mmCIF file of all heavy atoms in Angstrom:
data_model
loop_
_atom_site.group_PDB
_atom_site.id
_atom_site.type_symbol
_atom_site.label_atom_id
_atom_site.label_comp_id
_atom_site.label_asym_id
_atom_site.label_seq_id
_atom_site.Cartn_x
_atom_site.Cartn_y
_atom_site.Cartn_z
ATOM 1 N N GLU A 671 71.848 156.316 71.998
ATOM 2 C CA GLU A 671 71.766 155.058 71.351
ATOM 3 C C GLU A 671 72.595 155.055 70.030
ATOM 4 O O GLU A 671 72.754 156.038 69.314
ATOM 5 C CB GLU A 671 70.349 154.726 71.005
ATOM 6 C CG GLU A 671 69.466 154.361 72.244
ATOM 7 C CD GLU A 671 68.016 153.835 72.015
ATOM 8 O OE1 GLU A 671 67.687 153.688 70.747
ATOM 9 O OE2 GLU A 671 67.330 153.739 72.922
ATOM 10 N N VAL A 672 72.998 153.850 69.635
ATOM 11 C CA VAL A 672 73.780 153.660 68.423
ATOM 12 C C VAL A 672 72.972 153.004 67.351
ATOM 13 O O VAL A 672 72.431 151.903 67.608
ATOM 14 C CB VAL A 672 75.139 152.920 68.700
ATOM 15 C CG1 VAL A 672 75.961 152.750 67.390
ATOM 16 C CG2 VAL A 672 75.918 153.579 69.787
ATOM 17 N N ALA A 673 72.866 153.589 66.202
ATOM 18 C CA ALA A 673 72.118 153.061 65.041
ATOM 19 C C ALA A 673 73.009 152.037 64.311
ATOM 20 O O ALA A 673 73.488 152.363 63.251
ATOM 21 C CB ALA A 673 71.590 154.190 64.227
ATOM 22 N N LEU A 674 73.228 150.903 64.868
ATOM 23 C CA LEU A 674 74.111 149.875 64.293
ATOM 24 C C LEU A 674 73.545 149.533 62.913
ATOM 25 O O LEU A 674 74.323 149.224 61.933
ATOM 26 C CB LEU A 674 74.251 148.697 65.083
ATOM 27 C CG LEU A 674 75.047 148.819 66.501
ATOM 28 C CD1 LEU A 674 75.049 147.605 67.264
ATOM 29 C CD2 LEU A 674 76.424 149.329 66.207
ATOM 30 N N TRP A 675 72.263 149.372 62.842
ATOM 31 C CA TRP A 675 71.572 149.035 61.557
ATOM 32 C C TRP A 675 70.394 150.050 61.236
ATOM 33 O O TRP A 675 69.925 150.560 62.089
ATOM 34 C CB TRP A 675 71.035 147.656 61.650
ATOM 35 C CG TRP A 675 72.036 146.600 61.908
ATOM 36 C CD1 TRP A 675 72.852 146.030 60.991
ATOM 37 C CD2 TRP A 675 72.324 145.947 63.101
ATOM 38 N NE1 TRP A 675 73.647 145.110 61.585
ATOM 39 C CE2 TRP A 675 73.357 145.016 62.908
ATOM 40 C CE3 TRP A 675 71.812 146.098 64.450
ATOM 41 C CZ2 TRP A 675 73.860 144.265 63.958
ATOM 42 C CZ3 TRP A 675 72.296 145.310 65.444
ATOM 43 C CH2 TRP A 675 73.332 144.438 65.230
ATOM 44 N N THR A 676 70.213 150.111 59.955
ATOM 45 C CA THR A 676 68.900 150.796 59.661
ATOM 46 C C THR A 676 67.838 149.803 59.291
ATOM 47 O O THR A 676 67.823 149.197 58.348
ATOM 48 C CB THR A 676 69.147 151.790 58.396
ATOM 49 O OG1 THR A 676 70.147 152.712 58.735
ATOM 50 C CG2 THR A 676 67.877 152.542 58.067
ATOM 51 N N GLU A 677 67.043 149.549 60.295
ATOM 52 C CA GLU A 677 66.015 148.519 60.254
ATOM 53 C C GLU A 677 64.670 149.109 59.864
ATOM 54 O O GLU A 677 64.270 150.100 60.423
ATOM 55 C CB GLU A 677 65.860 147.825 61.659
ATOM 56 C CG GLU A 677 67.184 147.231 62.081
ATOM 57 C CD GLU A 677 67.067 146.648 63.507
ATOM 58 O OE1 GLU A 677 66.590 147.506 64.409
ATOM 59 O OE2 GLU A 677 67.435 145.563 63.921
ATOM 60 N N VAL A 678 63.924 148.459 59.026
ATOM 61 C CA VAL A 678 62.729 148.953 58.486
ATOM 62 C C VAL A 678 61.693 147.873 58.457
ATOM 63 O O VAL A 678 62.013 146.677 58.425
ATOM 64 C CB VAL A 678 62.955 149.600 57.109
ATOM 65 C CG1 VAL A 678 63.689 150.794 57.102
ATOM 66 C CG2 VAL A 678 63.316 148.579 56.071
ATOM 67 N N LEU A 679 60.422 148.265 58.432
ATOM 68 C CA LEU A 679 59.343 147.327 58.221
ATOM 69 C C LEU A 679 58.605 147.787 56.989
ATOM 70 O O LEU A 679 58.427 149.052 56.733
ATOM 71 C CB LEU A 679 58.345 147.453 59.414
ATOM 72 C CG LEU A 679 58.843 146.998 60.741
ATOM 73 C CD1 LEU A 679 57.759 147.246 61.744
ATOM 74 C CD2 LEU A 679 59.351 145.575 60.715
ATOM 75 N N SER A 680 58.079 146.814 56.190
ATOM 76 C CA SER A 680 57.272 147.150 55.111
ATOM 77 C C SER A 680 56.332 145.927 54.734
ATOM 78 O O SER A 680 56.769 144.822 54.704
ATOM 79 C CB SER A 680 58.114 147.469 53.779
ATOM 80 O OG SER A 680 57.325 147.611 52.670
ATOM 81 N N LYS A 681 55.078 146.253 54.546
ATOM 82 C CA LYS A 681 54.119 145.263 54.074
ATOM 83 C C LYS A 681 54.354 144.776 52.728
ATOM 84 O O LYS A 681 54.021 143.701 52.364
ATOM 85 C CB LYS A 681 52.733 145.742 54.179
ATOM 86 C CG LYS A 681 52.226 145.946 55.689
ATOM 87 C CD LYS A 681 50.859 146.406 55.754
ATOM 88 C CE LYS A 681 50.502 146.697 57.240
ATOM 89 N NZ LYS A 681 49.164 147.264 57.500
ATOM 90 N N ASP A 682 55.162 145.628 51.921
ATOM 91 C CA ASP A 682 55.552 145.332 50.606
ATOM 92 C C ASP A 682 56.932 144.660 50.651
ATOM 93 O O ASP A 682 57.674 144.744 49.565
ATOM 94 C CB ASP A 682 55.694 146.616 49.782
ATOM 95 C CG ASP A 682 54.448 147.346 49.504
ATOM 96 O OD1 ASP A 682 53.340 146.790 49.941
ATOM 97 O OD2 ASP A 682 54.377 148.376 48.910
ATOM 98 N N ARG A 683 57.437 144.091 51.667
ATOM 99 C CA ARG A 683 58.888 143.726 51.845
ATOM 100 C C ARG A 683 59.358 142.886 50.617
ATOM 101 O O ARG A 683 60.359 143.239 50.130
ATOM 102 C CB ARG A 683 59.080 142.921 53.121
ATOM 103 C CG ARG A 683 60.509 142.527 53.254
ATOM 104 C CD ARG A 683 60.840 141.681 54.477
ATOM 105 N NE ARG A 683 60.273 140.385 54.402
ATOM 106 C CZ ARG A 683 60.439 139.452 55.286
ATOM 107 N NH1 ARG A 683 61.062 139.725 56.446
ATOM 108 N NH2 ARG A 683 59.943 138.240 55.170
ATOM 109 N N GLU A 684 58.713 141.903 50.256
ATOM 110 C CA GLU A 684 59.224 140.955 49.224
ATOM 111 C C GLU A 684 59.407 141.762 47.850
ATOM 112 O O GLU A 684 60.427 141.697 47.247
ATOM 113 C CB GLU A 684 58.280 139.806 49.080
ATOM 114 C CG GLU A 684 58.175 138.892 50.388
ATOM 115 C CD GLU A 684 59.547 138.453 50.845
ATOM 116 O OE1 GLU A 684 60.515 138.174 50.104
ATOM 117 O OE2 GLU A 684 59.718 138.550 52.114
ATOM 118 N N GLN A 685 58.322 142.570 47.509
ATOM 119 C CA GLN A 685 58.407 143.250 46.274
ATOM 120 C C GLN A 685 59.450 144.338 46.292
ATOM 121 O O GLN A 685 60.164 144.630 45.366
ATOM 122 C CB GLN A 685 57.060 143.857 45.881
ATOM 123 C CG GLN A 685 55.824 142.992 45.817
ATOM 124 C CD GLN A 685 55.149 142.923 47.170
ATOM 125 O OE1 GLN A 685 55.552 142.337 48.139
ATOM 126 N NE2 GLN A 685 53.963 143.395 47.240
ATOM 127 N N LEU A 686 59.465 145.013 47.437
ATOM 128 C CA LEU A 686 60.507 146.071 47.656
ATOM 129 C C LEU A 686 61.988 145.526 47.679
ATOM 130 O O LEU A 686 62.725 146.183 47.000
ATOM 131 C CB LEU A 686 60.174 146.755 49.006
ATOM 132 C CG LEU A 686 61.040 148.012 49.376
ATOM 133 C CD1 LEU A 686 61.028 148.996 48.158
ATOM 134 C CD2 LEU A 686 60.458 148.685 50.587
ATOM 135 N N MET A 687 62.215 144.455 48.266
ATOM 136 C CA MET A 687 63.553 143.898 48.291
ATOM 137 C C MET A 687 63.859 143.435 46.879
ATOM 138 O O MET A 687 65.013 143.621 46.415
ATOM 139 C CB MET A 687 63.578 142.743 49.317
ATOM 140 C CG MET A 687 63.591 143.171 50.716
ATOM 141 S SD MET A 687 63.777 141.782 51.938
ATOM 142 C CE MET A 687 65.422 141.246 51.669
ATOM 143 N N THR A 688 62.934 142.906 46.085
ATOM 144 C CA THR A 688 63.222 142.504 44.773
ATOM 145 C C THR A 688 63.479 143.722 43.937
ATOM 146 O O THR A 688 64.391 143.690 43.092
ATOM 147 C CB THR A 688 61.978 141.725 44.179
ATOM 148 O OG1 THR A 688 61.782 140.527 44.930
ATOM 149 C CG2 THR A 688 62.223 141.318 42.744
ATOM 150 N N PHE A 689 62.710 144.776 44.103
ATOM 151 C CA PHE A 689 63.009 145.932 43.373
ATOM 152 C C PHE A 689 64.370 146.633 43.654
ATOM 153 O O PHE A 689 64.996 147.047 42.731
ATOM 154 C CB PHE A 689 61.822 147.031 43.745
ATOM 155 C CG PHE A 689 61.867 148.249 42.924
ATOM 156 C CD1 PHE A 689 61.395 148.312 41.688
ATOM 157 C CD2 PHE A 689 62.442 149.450 43.341
ATOM 158 C CE1 PHE A 689 61.332 149.496 40.844
ATOM 159 C CE2 PHE A 689 62.575 150.616 42.682
ATOM 160 C CZ PHE A 689 61.939 150.598 41.428
ATOM 161 N N LEU A 690 64.703 146.645 44.914
ATOM 162 C CA LEU A 690 66.005 147.118 45.233
ATOM 163 C C LEU A 690 67.103 146.282 44.668
ATOM 164 O O LEU A 690 68.114 146.777 44.137
ATOM 165 C CB LEU A 690 66.132 147.277 46.778
ATOM 166 C CG LEU A 690 65.261 148.252 47.409
ATOM 167 C CD1 LEU A 690 65.231 148.111 48.988
ATOM 168 C CD2 LEU A 690 65.795 149.700 47.184
ATOM 169 N N ALA A 691 67.022 144.964 44.731
ATOM 170 C CA ALA A 691 67.940 144.138 44.167
ATOM 171 C C ALA A 691 68.091 144.324 42.595
ATOM 172 O O ALA A 691 69.170 144.156 42.100
ATOM 173 C CB ALA A 691 67.557 142.518 44.473
ATOM 174 N N SER A 692 66.929 144.571 41.981
ATOM 175 C CA SER A 692 67.014 144.853 40.452
ATOM 176 C C SER A 692 67.841 146.118 40.227
ATOM 177 O O SER A 692 68.103 146.326 39.009
ATOM 178 C CB SER A 692 65.603 144.913 39.881
ATOM 179 O OG SER A 692 64.967 146.122 40.193
ATOM 180 N N HIS A 693 67.971 146.955 41.123
ATOM 181 C CA HIS A 693 68.824 148.106 41.107
ATOM 182 C C HIS A 693 70.171 147.874 41.771
ATOM 183 O O HIS A 693 70.863 148.914 42.114
ATOM 184 C CB HIS A 693 68.091 149.356 41.682
ATOM 185 C CG HIS A 693 66.987 149.739 40.787
ATOM 186 N ND1 HIS A 693 65.712 149.143 40.808
ATOM 187 C CD2 HIS A 693 66.938 150.823 39.910
ATOM 188 C CE1 HIS A 693 64.943 149.804 39.977
ATOM 189 N NE2 HIS A 693 65.625 150.710 39.368
ATOM 190 N N SER A 694 70.633 146.724 41.991
ATOM 191 C CA SER A 694 71.829 146.294 42.545
ATOM 192 C C SER A 694 72.069 146.834 43.985
ATOM 193 O O SER A 694 73.206 147.325 44.414
ATOM 194 C CB SER A 694 73.097 146.735 41.648
ATOM 195 O OG SER A 694 72.880 146.222 40.447
ATOM 196 N N ILE A 695 70.999 146.835 44.780
ATOM 197 C CA ILE A 695 71.036 147.300 46.148
ATOM 198 C C ILE A 695 70.719 146.068 46.964
ATOM 199 O O ILE A 695 69.564 145.513 46.886
ATOM 200 C CB ILE A 695 69.969 148.436 46.460
ATOM 201 C CG1 ILE A 695 70.400 149.712 45.599
ATOM 202 C CG2 ILE A 695 69.858 148.724 47.973
ATOM 203 C CD1 ILE A 695 69.381 150.799 45.671
ATOM 204 N N GLN A 696 71.656 145.613 47.856
ATOM 205 C CA GLN A 696 71.479 144.550 48.641
ATOM 206 C C GLN A 696 70.873 144.893 49.926
ATOM 207 O O GLN A 696 71.162 145.837 50.613
ATOM 208 C CB GLN A 696 72.968 143.971 48.959
ATOM 209 C CG GLN A 696 72.872 142.650 49.796
ATOM 210 C CD GLN A 696 74.229 142.120 50.008
ATOM 211 O OE1 GLN A 696 75.226 142.719 49.595
ATOM 212 N NE2 GLN A 696 74.270 140.993 50.770
ATOM 213 N N THR A 697 69.900 144.026 50.357
ATOM 214 C CA THR A 697 69.223 144.159 51.635
ATOM 215 C C THR A 697 69.168 142.803 52.323
ATOM 216 O O THR A 697 69.467 141.759 51.588
ATOM 217 C CB THR A 697 67.728 144.628 51.414
ATOM 218 O OG1 THR A 697 67.009 143.750 50.544
ATOM 219 C CG2 THR A 697 67.615 145.998 50.807
ATOM 220 N N GLU A 698 68.872 142.749 53.561
ATOM 221 C CA GLU A 698 68.796 141.485 54.288
ATOM 222 C C GLU A 698 67.507 141.462 55.138
ATOM 223 O O GLU A 698 67.193 142.421 55.845
ATOM 224 C CB GLU A 698 70.013 141.330 55.245
ATOM 225 C CG GLU A 698 71.395 141.198 54.523
ATOM 226 C CD GLU A 698 71.504 139.903 53.815
ATOM 227 O OE1 GLU A 698 70.888 138.859 54.236
ATOM 228 O OE2 GLU A 698 72.303 139.901 52.728
#
């Protein structure tokens, strides 16, 4: 199989995405 994306699940998604963005890391 080909790992086209690194897909994750997190119950903390909103806080985690905000935290990553505050460190200039883009997520979708």
